[in-house]
Amino acid sequence: MKTIFLKDGAQGMLPCVATIGFFDGVHRGHRYLIDRVVELARAEGLRSAVITFEDHPRQVLQQDYQPKLLTTFEEKTFLLSHTGVDYCVVFPFNSETATMNARQFMEEVLCHQLNVRRLVVGYDHRFGRDRSEGFEDYVRYGHELGITVEKGHAVTFHGQRVSSSLIRQYLAEGEVELAAECLGYPYTLVGRVVEGKQLGRKLGFPTANIEIDKDKLLPAPGVYAVKARREHSMEMRRAMMNIGVRPTFGGDKLSLEIHIFDFEEEIYGELLLVQFIHRLREERRFDSVEELSQQLQADERLVVEQFEKEMEE
């Protein structure tokens, strides 16, 4: 996949089939659209393209908007690179481009800059100033510009339309397994290991504290069965993670602590990839450190059982 930042120009792009969107999470619904783009492109001898944005459009339209995203820009482009698409075009959504209506966007960007011959849009997707135009308008403009426009259908899960908003809702409730079903992969965090207060070590459960991108969405506070991988390793290791404020120790600052099973190496400063598999329980305050230690031992047994069950399936 070739990534093209449109602010740098897009000269020489071959005729293509394209879709457009923010694609947060690159979930099953997104991949249905992208698969359709790739299918059409191959059938017609064209290139395939995904047009996306580096920053969420609402950050431009609402300056006080603080996004909580399923994927960072780097994570999103990595996932897109595994879809089979030829181009990832990054459109510079700013105050100037936000004033373009759908007709202008289709003519100036899709037609003249990107050489789009077919456009596949989501079942509810709207683009252009104020999002006031819809699918029938896109079809009409496309006919005038030589662009065939097609609407995709919704992908459903348990009777609900798969969307980034639905996945965020599941994660906010700690339902990481439901989120994974909609994403098509376990929800994942990538963070750098930083020095903590080493409270876990005193309990017999040494942990690594992780700092992540400020815009990345965290699942609900609690204890999770997770898998972890170091940045220069392909080995996924069993682990458990706590997201919370450590109330037993009087904490008030949210932290991410991971205990990797049968692992004692020094990893300060390294990047760690963490996949969420199952939520064990909510975080809660214990009356003593001893009681907390006993609970952590019980948590570890449940995590082992969870992974053994996963292997049997």
Side-chain angles (χ1 to χ4, degrees), residues 75 188-194 207-212 226-233 235-237 239-241 256-260 263 267-275:
E75 291 167 352
T188 303
L189 298 178
V190 177
R192 193 166 298 281
V193 178
V194 297
T207 59
N209 288 63
I210 302 173
E211 284 188 352
I212 65 168
V226 301
K227 292 181 180 179
R229 179 171 66 82
R230 299 166 71 179
E231 61 181 313
H232 299 304
S233 171
E235 182 183 13
M236 297 296 295
R237 303 185 68 98
M240 63 183 189
M241 171 175 270
L256 285 74
E257 298 176 283
I258 184 170
H259 170 67
I260 304 173
F263 184 80
I267 54 174
Y268 286 128
E270 289 192 24
L271 287 176
L272 204 62
L273 179 147
V274 180
Q275 294 181 337

Side-chain angles (χ1 to χ4, degrees), residues 17-247:
V17 182
T19 186
I20 181 171
F22 188 63
F23 299 111
D24 188 24
V26 194
H27 55 62
R28 290 186 186 276
H30 296 145
R31 288 204 298 281
Y32 155 73
L33 285 177
I34 297 169
D35 287 347
R36 179 60 177 159
V37 165
V38 172
E39 176 188 14
L40 287 170
R42 288 175 178 169
E44 299 183 19
L46 303 173
R47 296 302 175 98
S48 54
V50 168
I51 304 166
T52 190
F53 317 103
E54 189 164 4
D55 299 314
H56 198 291
R58 284 179 61 188
Q59 288 178 277
V60 175
L61 301 174
Q62 303 167 246
Q63 294 188 358
D64 60 346
Y65 174 64
Q66 297 295 319
K68 290 300 178 185
L69 303 177
L70 303 174
T71 44
T72 64
F73 177 72
E74 291 77 14
E75 291 167 352
K76 178 169 67 175
T77 52
F78 173 80
L79 291 169
L80 289 172
S81 72
H82 286 76
T83 63
V85 74
D86 295 310
Y87 300 126
C88 174
V89 179
V90 184
F91 181 69
F93 195 91
N94 51 42
S95 56
E96 180 180 344
T97 57
T99 64
M100 298 176 72
N101 59 36
R103 179 65 168 76
Q104 289 174 304
F105 180 80
M106 290 183 69
E107 180 175 8
E108 297 175 21
V109 178
L110 299 187
C111 184
H112 294 162
Q113 294 187 61
L114 301 182
N115 210 358
V116 173
R117 300 293 175 83
R118 294 183 70 108
L119 177 68
V120 182
V121 297
Y123 69 94
D124 64 346
H125 184 74
R126 290 175 178 266
F127 58 84
R129 184 180 62 229
D130 300 328
R131 296 163 57 91
S132 57
E133 295 150 298
F135 179 70
E136 291 75 15
D137 299 304
Y138 309 151
V139 171
R140 186 172 72 257
Y141 303 151
H143 181 74
E144 297 168 1
L145 298 167
I147 299 173
T148 303
V149 184
E150 174 182 313
K151 181 193 289 188
H153 64 68
V155 174
T156 60
F157 173 69
H158 286 186
Q160 298 191 77
R161 293 174 174 175
V162 172
S163 67
S164 300
S165 297
L166 177 62
I167 297 167
R168 292 188 196 104
Q169 176 186 325
Y170 282 146
L171 292 172
E173 296 168 352
E175 299 285 358
V176 293
E177 287 149 313
L178 294 178
E181 288 283 354
C182 293
L183 286 165
Y185 59 89
Y187 187 61
T188 303
L189 298 178
V190 177
R192 193 166 298 281
V193 178
V194 297
E195 192 163 355
K197 296 183 179 180
Q198 301 187 345
L199 298 174
R201 191 175 301 277
K202 298 174 183 177
L203 297 167
F205 285 84
T207 59
N209 288 63
I210 302 173
E211 284 188 352
I212 65 168
D213 188 285
K214 63 180 177 62
D215 292 335
K216 182 80 173 182
L217 178 68
L218 284 176
V223 179
Y224 293 85
V226 301
K227 292 181 180 179
R229 179 171 66 82
R230 299 166 71 179
E231 61 181 313
H232 299 304
S233 171
M234 296 302 293
E235 182 183 13
M236 297 296 295
R237 303 185 68 98
R238 299 177 176 185
M240 63 183 189
M241 171 175 270
N242 183 76
I243 299 176
V245 298
R246 297 176 292 200

Side-chain angles (χ1 to χ4, degrees), residues 221-222 242-255 257 283:
N242 183 76
I243 299 176
V245 298
R246 297 176 292 200
T248 303
F249 296 97
D252 58 3
K253 183 179 179 181
L254 191 70
S255 65
E257 298 176 283
E283 184 185 47

